Amino acid sequence: MSRSRESSSAGIVFRSERPTRVSPRSLLLHVALLLLLATVVAVGFGALLWLGLGRPDALTAGERLEALKVVLAVVAGIGAVVALTVAYRKQRDAELAEYREDAKAYADRFGKAADQLGNAEHVVRTGGVYALAELADEWIEGRQTCIDLLCAYLRMPYVADTASADYSHGNREVRRTIIRVIRNHLRDGWSAVSWRGYRFSFEGAVFDCGDFSKAHFRGGNVTFHRARFVAGHVEFNDVVFEGTPVWFSKAEFAGAHVDFRRSVFAGTVASFENAVFSAGRVEFDGVRFASGEVSFDNAVHEGSVATFDGVAHTGGTVVWGPFPHLSASTSTPPA
């Protein structure tokens, strides 16, 4: 199976283009035009020889032979062009056929991985996560689709209460694996293929674990709109959002320890608008707002511990709004 090639240097992804199909009618028309051109050139060249050298019966046998050689050379050259055209068109059709075979193979692999992700056995689901990640690395045109499916799994209804009969340690581990796979593809040097520049939608997802630390989001966008951080430790420490709009709008921090320490928001829009900090601990210590716009407008602090020690604001704008409603356990954000 042929593999598409890409380069992600400096965050730029070069994608192979889909081969263009060449219709038989177009090919015949092209060849007919070239043959017509060959005839016109041969006749025109013969006429020029007539005018330039005089009547053919006045030429010597050697001169006639040389003139004939010139005419045949011109016709042969145009014939070679015709042959090259036919060969090129055949190659394009072969490339299209190969592309279709590859696309079918990728689609089959995607279907099998999706089936694994929906399996009742959590170990099979974990295998589906890795199968989708491998497919995303190889299948440039379908990479966003693979990422979307992984994110969709995290958005599915999930019970994080360990005391509930519906809680599943296996499901928790599948979710942790998905986050780890995504993070590794966004870290420098952790994966041969980078997933930077794509969309990541965790909208409405429930988190009771997850390590995004040191991920570098660049381009694309990422949303945690209406996400709920309810338990465990969720790590965003040392994450870089560079030119990547990120939304934590209406997110609920309701019991988890969420760590944003030393994260960088650069050249982007970051929204914590209408977020609710009701329980748990959220740390923004050492966060750097380098440029762009960051907003905590209408965020509500109802009892969580939210710290902002050493926050650096070096560019852009930060809209604090009424957040945080200070308490004894809450540090004051910078002016």
Side-chain angles (χ1 to χ4, degrees):
M1 179 186 299
S2 66
R3 302 288 173 84
S4 300
R5 297 182 179 180
E6 69 169 356
S7 172
S8 57
S9 176
I12 301 174
V13 178
F14 300 93
R15 302 166 187 254
S16 59
E17 295 183 357
R18 176 176 178 170
T20 303
R21 185 179 185 277
V22 179
S23 66
R25 180 178 298 178
S26 174
L27 177 60
L28 292 175
L29 179 61
H30 200 162
V31 172
L33 289 175
L34 286 174
L35 290 174
L36 178 61
L37 176 62
T39 303
V40 171
V41 170
V43 172
F45 194 79
L48 289 176
L49 287 176
W50 181 292
L51 296 174
L53 300 177
R55 294 175 56 83
D57 53 7
L59 300 177
T60 65
E63 290 173 335
R64 292 178 183 176
L65 181 60
E66 289 301 320
L68 181 59
K69 287 181 180 180
V70 171
V71 172
L72 292 177
V74 172
V75 174
I78 297 178
V81 173
V82 172
L84 288 174
T85 301
V86 173
Y88 168 75
R89 294 302 182 96
K90 288 182 177 179
Q91 179 182 355
R92 295 294 290 176
D93 283 342
E95 289 175 355
L96 179 60
E98 184 178 12
Y99 172 85
R100 286 174 172 170
E101 290 179 3
D102 287 353
K104 183 179 183 303
Y106 285 137
D108 290 343
R109 288 174 59 186
F110 179 82
K112 291 177 181 178
D115 287 342
Q116 286 181 275
L117 204 58
N119 194 280
E121 298 293 331
H122 294 107
V123 66
V124 179
R125 295 188 193 183
T126 302
V129 172
Y130 288 114
L132 273 174
E134 182 180 4
L135 178 60
D137 288 348
E138 299 176 16
W139 187 21
I140 302 174
E141 293 182 348
R143 182 170 299 159
Q144 183 64 65
T145 303
C146 295
I147 293 173
D148 288 343
L149 184 56
L150 292 173
C151 292
Y153 188 95
L154 295 178
R155 296 197 304 270
M156 294 177 65
Y158 171 64
V159 176
D161 184 2
T162 56
S164 171
D166 295 325
Y167 177 78
S168 168
H169 288 285
N171 194 19
R172 186 175 189 265
E173 186 56 35
V174 175
R175 297 168 66 85
R176 186 196 296 269
T177 300
I178 291 175
I179 295 171
R180 185 184 302 119
V181 164
I182 291 174
R183 177 206 64 192
N184 290 349
H185 281 84
L186 295 171
R187 277 183 174 180
D188 291 323
W190 280 61
S191 178
V193 177
S194 172
W195 290 359
R196 291 173 186 163
Y198 290 88
R199 300 184 308 272
F200 296 89
S201 176
F202 307 103
E203 182 174 349
V206 175
F207 291 91
D208 65 344
C209 65
D211 181 4
F212 291 94
S213 64
K214 298 183 180 180
H216 189 161
F217 293 89
R218 183 168 59 208
N221 60 69
V222 56
T223 178
F224 291 87
H225 177 70
R226 292 188 182 275
R228 299 179 64 239
F229 301 89
V230 298
H233 192 188
V234 184
E235 300 176 62
F236 292 95
N237 52 295
D238 300 292
V239 170
V240 177
F241 297 99
E242 181 183 359
T244 303
V246 54
W247 292 274
F248 287 89
S249 50
K250 296 187 178 181
E252 184 178 359
F253 299 88
H257 177 192
V258 184
D259 184 358
F260 288 96
R261 289 179 301 162
R262 299 178 303 278
S263 291
V264 177
F265 297 84
T268 186
V269 174
S271 174
F272 289 85
E273 295 178 354
N274 299 292
V276 177
F277 296 77
S278 59
R281 182 180 183 87
V282 185
E283 296 180 275
F284 292 93
D285 303 341
V287 166
R288 182 161 63 92
F289 302 123
S291 58
E293 179 179 332
V294 180
S295 177
F296 288 83
D297 198 23
N298 293 320
V300 177
H301 182 260
E302 296 179 340
S304 69
V305 176
T307 63
F308 293 84
D309 296 332
V311 170
H313 176 201
T314 59
T317 59
V318 179
V319 180
W320 293 106
F323 183 86
H325 300 287
L326 298 178
S327 67
S329 59
T330 303
S331 299
T332 305

